[in-house]
Amino acid sequence: QPVLTQPPSVSGAPGQRVTISCTGGSSNIGAGFDVHWYQQLPGTAPKLLIYANNNRPSGVPDRFSGSKSGTSASLVISGLQAEDETDFYCQSYDRSLSAWVFGGGTKLTVL
Amino acid sequence: EVLLVESGGGLVQPGGSLRLSCSASGFTLSSYSVHWVRQAPGKGLEYVSTISNTGGNRHYADSVKGRFTISRDNSKNTVYLQMSSLGAEDTAVYYCVRDQSWYFDLWGRGALVTVSS
């Protein structure tokens, strides 16, 4: 059972905006550890999408944004495009486990 | 080009052992902590292990503690994951990942490990 909870799937029409949530607890997100997001195309390695809650690496479009509040974080994708139909994972650190932890992943479907 | 390349994956019998290697090119691996993350077929990402840049600190997920050993040879720009007492639950693609302030900024393509008789 993943430590961080994500919805298994979300969907939206092209051009719309979707939000993917990532819920943790007092030993990880709530303890102040940053949340990071990764995008994974089928059959490929994950790629860093958002780091330290709301920062985009070079080359990531500004359609992708992140936020964090309390024990949760969110990834917002605006202006949905067909190429966004991939899997997304959140990640943080858990001090009780002394380990890096992931969410279970969310599959985005562009209708 | 900045790359991480895993090798050493393959088919192994239950109870067997395997050693994965992770080689870096385009940058000096000794400047970074390195993680191993795995992904079982059709499943999500699972943290496996971490080694600090000097090798002085190592961490393991509970699921592999006592069976897996992470190490590195900075003279060879390489990190290793020695896996033993392998079971079907260890079947996965194993990714070598570079650490950047506790997030994973560079991923290898992965090495498939299949545990089956």
Side-chain angles (χ1 to χ4, degrees):
Chain A
Q1 193 78 346
V3 173
L4 305 179
T5 301
Q6 297 179 234
S9 64
V10 296
S11 62
Q16 285 190 333
R17 166 180 149 145
V18 297
T19 301
I20 299 174
S21 61
C22 174
T23 303
S26 59
S27 60
N28 42 71
I29 300 175
F33 293 105
D34 288 336
V35 177
H36 320 288
W37 293 89
Y38 304 87
Q39 181 182 31
Q40 185 177 32
L41 281 72
T44 68
K47 181 190 85 167
L48 179 65
L49 189 66
I50 297 286
Y51 67 94
N53 307 316
N54 56 13
N55 296 278
R56 286 185 308 276
S58 173
V60 174
D62 60 5
R63 302 187 295 105
F64 296 91
S65 63
S67 65
K68 174 191 153 184
S69 178
T71 59
S72 297
S74 295
L75 172 69
V76 175
I77 309 168
S78 57
L80 268 181
Q81 300 181 2
E83 67 201 47
D84 299 333
E85 190 164 285
T86 57
D87 296 330
F88 297 87
Y89 293 89
C90 62
Q91 175 251 316
S92 187
Y93 183 83
D94 190 288
R95 67 182 177 192
S96 295
L97 297 173
S98 295
W100 288 259
V101 290
F102 289 95
T106 298
K107 181 176 181 58
L108 170 62
T109 299
V110 181
L111 302 171
Chain B
E1 187 180 7
V2 174
L3 281 176
L4 288 170
V5 178
E6 303 91 341
S7 60
L11 176 64
V12 60
Q13 292 191 337
S17 299
L18 206 61
R19 187 178 82 158
L20 301 180
S21 299
C22 170
S23 299
S25 61
F27 70 100
T28 303
L29 193 59
S30 61
S31 298
Y32 299 88
S33 293
V34 174
H35 309 272
W36 288 94
V37 174
R38 70 184 179 183
Q39 186 170 34
K43 302 297 184 181
L45 302 173
E46 180 188 13
Y47 166 77
V48 174
S49 183
T50 300
I51 188 165
S52 62
N53 61 329
T54 63
N57 288 301
R58 308 176 194 204
H59 298 273
Y60 300 94
D62 287 344
S63 58
V64 306
K65 205 171 292 184
R67 300 188 299 121
F68 290 13
T69 302
I70 193 171
S71 62
R72 67 191 303 158
D73 184 341
N74 284 339
S75 68
K76 296 182 178 179
N77 229 22
T78 301
V79 170
Y80 305 98
L81 185 69
Q82 178 69 47
M83 305 181 292
S84 61
S85 301
L86 286 164
E89 70 276 10
D90 298 312
T91 293
V93 174
Y94 285 73
Y95 295 104
C96 173
V97 191
R98 186 175 74 177
D99 180 274
Q100 186 72 265
S101 300
W102 290 19
Y103 60 90
F104 307 153
D105 74 327
L106 180 66
W107 297 64
R109 287 188 172 184
L112 177 61
V113 172
T114 303
V115 183
S116 176
S117 55

